[in-house]
């Protein structure tokens, strides 16, 4: 299985075990499709492009939103405008959107990495706001599963 989808599935199971209601099918669909926009762009716009491509194909709206809200730790409308993206709030809001976003940050290529590795990388690129958002989102999910995300199989 795709590494992001695999980790996203593990997070779903850990959340369910803690009594958090999460739609694993939606998470898996979003995880498998999250980078579909890379067929058009390797830039940060691949997320919004992916969402648009899927919407044009009639894919369920909640899957499209998981896809377009997976970059950074979420991009708000002001940041979207500054980046030249279609202006919208791409902040992950539902638990499913957050799980895919976090799983994506914890996979580098095909390998798992710690949240702190991704945060350090973003800081090294001068992306302080993104680093803070990723740290916060990872912490939120870690608090919900009540154990280190790095321990999830
Ligand atoms: Fe991506």
């Amino acid at each position: 299985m795709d590494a992001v989808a695999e980790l996203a599935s593990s997070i779903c199971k850990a959340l369910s075990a803690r009594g958090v209601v999460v739609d694993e099918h939606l998470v898996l669909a979003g995880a498998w499709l999250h980078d579909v926009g890379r067929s058009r762009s390797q830039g940060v716009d691949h997320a919004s492009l992916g969402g648009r491509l899927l919407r044009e194909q009639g894919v369920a709206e909640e899957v499209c939103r998981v896809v377009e809200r997976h970059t950074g730790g979420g991009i708000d409308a002001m940041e979207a405008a500054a980046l030249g993206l279609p202006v919208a709030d791409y902040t992950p809001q539902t638990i499913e959107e957050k799980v895919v976003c976090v799983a994506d940050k914890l996979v580098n290529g095909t390998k798992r990495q710690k949240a702190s590795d991704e945060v350090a990388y973003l800081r090294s690129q001068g992306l302080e706001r993104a680093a803070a958002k990723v740290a916060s989102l990872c912490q939120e999910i870690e608090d919900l599963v009540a154990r280190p995300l790095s321990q999830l199989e």
Side-chain angles (χ1 to χ4, degrees):
M1 196 194 286
D2 168 78
V4 172
E6 197 169 354
L7 177 55
S9 175
S10 295
I11 295 173
C12 284
K13 287 177 173 59
L15 287 169
S16 295
R18 296 284 302 172
V20 178
V21 177
V22 56
D23 181 344
E24 186 171 353
H25 289 120
L26 170 56
V27 167
L28 284 175
W32 278 105
L33 291 167
H34 75 281
D35 271 345
V36 71
R38 287 198 185 276
S39 60
R40 301 285 173 87
S41 168
Q42 292 300 317
V44 71
D45 59 342
H46 74 270
S48 55
L49 276 170
R52 197 184 77 202
L53 287 172
L54 294 172
R55 216 168 259 123
E56 286 169 1
Q57 297 299 316
V59 170
E61 179 61 23
E62 60 264 39
V63 176
C64 300
R65 283 198 295 265
V66 169
V67 169
E68 65 190 7
R69 294 177 176 177
H70 84 271
T71 43
I75 293 170
D76 65 30
M78 274 180 58
E79 292 166 325
L83 289 165
L85 301 175
V87 177
D89 186 356
Y90 300 103
T91 304
Q93 289 168 20
T94 66
I95 188 71
E96 291 83 6
E97 291 163 6
K98 290 176 181 179
V99 168
V100 172
C101 187
V102 164
D104 184 45
K105 301 304 158 298
L106 298 179
V107 172
N108 185 359
T110 58
K111 292 189 175 158
R112 293 277 300 275
Q113 67 176 358
K114 291 180 179 172
S116 55
D117 296 334
E118 178 66 9
V119 169
Y121 168 74
L122 290 168
R123 290 215 168 103
S124 76
Q125 301 300 301
L127 300 168
E128 194 57 44
R129 275 173 68 92
K133 287 184 186 186
V134 167
S136 165
L137 207 49
C138 289
Q139 188 63 55
E140 181 181 340
I141 298 297
E142 192 161 273
D143 289 347
L144 286 172
V145 302
R147 65 184 215 238
L149 295 174
S150 57
Q151 282 182 7
L152 298 180
E153 297 296 319

